[in-house]
Amino acid sequence: MPHDKIQYLVLDRRDPKANMARFYVLSIEQSLFGDAALIREWGRVGTSGQRKVELHENEGRAAEALETWLRRKQRRGYRIRQAR
């Protein structure tokens, strides 16, 4: 995969007043069959959460899907977690 594309993102949504601490992870990986997989993981911080794998015909389509999910989650208040 080219290095200029997003391959792995971690998002957070926190609101201590509402006792909310959630995570959302988006990553693109190659599947066993050579196509691109968008992997979405989400849940409450401190839990293993849920995982969903979406297969796409190529990396470009997977990247488009990642961007769509990123925008959708940002509209709901998720922010990209900065490296520490």
Side-chain angles (χ1 to χ4, degrees), residues 49-61:
Q50 298 181 49
R51 179 181 172 112
K52 176 132 176 128
V53 177
E54 297 177 3
L55 297 177
H56 295 274
E57 59 195 41
N58 58 47
E59 184 182 329
R61 297 277 187 208

Side-chain angles (χ1 to χ4, degrees), residues 12-23:
D12 275 329
R13 183 176 176 195
R14 296 176 185 263
D15 183 354
K17 294 175 188 168
N19 192 25
M20 180 190 304
R22 298 180 189 215
F23 70 90

Side-chain angles (χ1 to χ4, degrees), residues 5-69:
K5 292 187 181 177
I6 297 169
Q7 295 179 35
Y8 187 83
L9 276 177
V10 179
L11 307 168
D12 275 329
R13 183 176 176 195
R14 296 176 185 263
D15 183 354
K17 294 175 188 168
N19 192 25
M20 180 190 304
R22 298 180 189 215
F23 70 90
Y24 207 94
V25 179
L26 296 165
S27 62
I28 297 175
E29 298 177 13
Q30 187 173 10
S31 76
L32 292 173
F33 305 105
D35 45 5
L38 172 62
I39 300 172
R40 300 185 295 124
E41 298 177 68
W42 67 92
R44 186 167 172 81
V45 172
T47 68
S48 58
Q50 298 181 49
R51 179 181 172 112
K52 176 132 176 128
V53 177
E54 297 177 3
L55 297 177
H56 295 274
E57 59 195 41
N58 58 47
E59 184 182 329
R61 297 277 187 208
E64 289 172 9
L66 183 147
E67 292 291 334
T68 299
W69 278 106

